Amino acid sequence: MRVKVNLGILVSGSGSNLQSIIDNIENGRLDAEIKVVISNNTDAFALERARKHHIPSFVMQNQDYISREDFDRKMIDVLKSYSVELVVMAGFMRILGSLFLDAFPMKIMNIHPALLPSFPGMHAQKKAAEYGVRFSGCTVHFTDAGVDSGPIIIQAIVPAYTDDTEDTLAARILKEEHRIYPQAIQFYAEDRIEVTGRQVHIRGTDRVQAPPLHNPPLITF
Ligand code: GRF
């Protein structure tokens, strides 16, 4: 029998990554159950998505808590009360404190819309487009005390073009986010993930066969 991993999903916005996780659970590809969705934004469309799929949700507004510890403690309580095993940050716009990190050691994942360690932090797609990179992408990683700095689980690469805007690049990246996040969670559900320092070994996966990519394509060489 396939074992399901209990997820707690943290959101702040649209929740398209939440939706891709819901869809992949519903279509039987992801062995997980979303026990609770927590948002620190009352207006997050992600809450609507949770409601539609009868997933319990919880709003925690930053200003209602006197300190980060207070916020973290409450969030830990909620997640533990739902027996959450893996915390999934899906567009959650808040840095987690050490209390929270210690409560879920190597059990918190985040997705970032850039090829880390390039462009950590806010507005990653805008920064990448303005920088003129030829490739960008997205990264799922374990969360540590830094900003988008934890051990990398999986990355996807997309080309970036000189006429890209923040929005066109973000849309190209988001499509891949919706594929790699469920995959990273499924690796976890299958107990394949082994972390040694910064190295995340995924048991039973092959070496990627992709050839080197060039943008623009090579013409002469
Ligand atoms: C995504 O681009 C994610 O990488 C970033 O925030 C965005 C959230 O999008 N951390 P959504 O709320 O999942 O649609």
Side-chain angles (χ1 to χ4, degrees):
M1 202 190 89
R2 288 156 74 165
V3 185
K4 288 183 177 180
V5 59
N6 290 342
L7 308 179
I9 308 216
L10 312 185
V11 296
S12 301
S14 147
S16 69
N17 278 288
L18 166 67
Q19 189 67 55
S20 85
I21 295 165
I22 292 172
D23 293 345
N24 281 294
I25 291 173
E26 290 186 353
N27 70 25
R29 283 199 277 197
L30 180 49
D31 300 323
E33 184 177 340
I34 305 173
K35 302 298 268 187
V36 64
V37 168
I38 300 180
S39 172
N40 64 342
N41 170 14
T42 334
D43 300 327
F45 186 64
L47 290 168
E48 197 50 48
R49 298 182 195 265
R51 247 188 303 277
K52 201 169 155 207
H53 292 267
H54 313 288
I55 299 165
S57 62
F58 207 87
V59 176
M60 293 183 55
Q61 300 205 86
N62 302 353
Q63 65 268 27
D64 293 341
Y65 297 84
I66 45 168
S67 64
R68 179 184 301 281
E69 285 70 47
D70 203 33
F71 183 96
D72 282 5
R73 203 168 293 118
K74 180 67 192 175
M75 199 154 67
I76 294 166
D77 286 350
V78 174
L79 293 166
K80 298 267 183 197
S81 75
Y82 282 95
S83 307
V84 165
E85 297 164 294
L86 179 68
V87 179
V88 175
M89 299 171 74
F92 185 63
M93 306 303 274
R94 188 182 160 106
I95 292 173
L96 301 170
S98 58
L99 193 74
F100 193 88
L101 296 170
D102 292 346
F104 293 96
M106 285 300 155
K107 290 176 165 55
I108 310 167
M109 285 185 187
N110 182 41
I111 189 155
H112 183 72
L115 280 180
L116 290 172
S118 294
F119 310 112
M122 303 272 285
H123 310 300
Q125 305 98 322
K126 182 169 189 282
K127 287 185 210 154
E130 286 174 0
Y131 197 92
V133 294
R134 296 294 183 161
F135 292 99
S136 188
C138 44
T139 305
V140 178
H141 62 92
F142 284 112
T143 301
D144 67 6
V147 176
D148 302 318
S149 58
I152 292 171
I153 301 165
I154 183 169
Q155 293 186 302
I157 295 176
V158 303
Y161 304 112
T162 46
D163 60 357
D164 261 327
T165 61
E166 174 185 3
D167 290 347
T168 56
L169 181 58
R172 200 173 306 123
I173 293 170
L174 194 60
K175 263 193 181 169
E176 295 308 311
E177 293 186 39
H178 297 161
R179 302 174 73 196
I180 65 170
Y181 219 174
Q183 178 64 79
I185 297 166
Q186 182 61 16
F187 284 148
Y188 190 93
E190 291 172 358
D191 196 23
R192 290 181 182 220
I193 300 184
E194 213 172 86
V195 186
T196 314
R198 287 211 54 86
Q199 303 301 321
V200 179
H201 176 65
I202 317 275
R203 279 188 288 268
T205 50
D206 295 330
R207 270 177 195 274
V208 68
Q209 291 303 315
L213 296 171
H214 312 94
N215 182 16
L218 302 184
I219 297 175
T220 318
F221 299 95

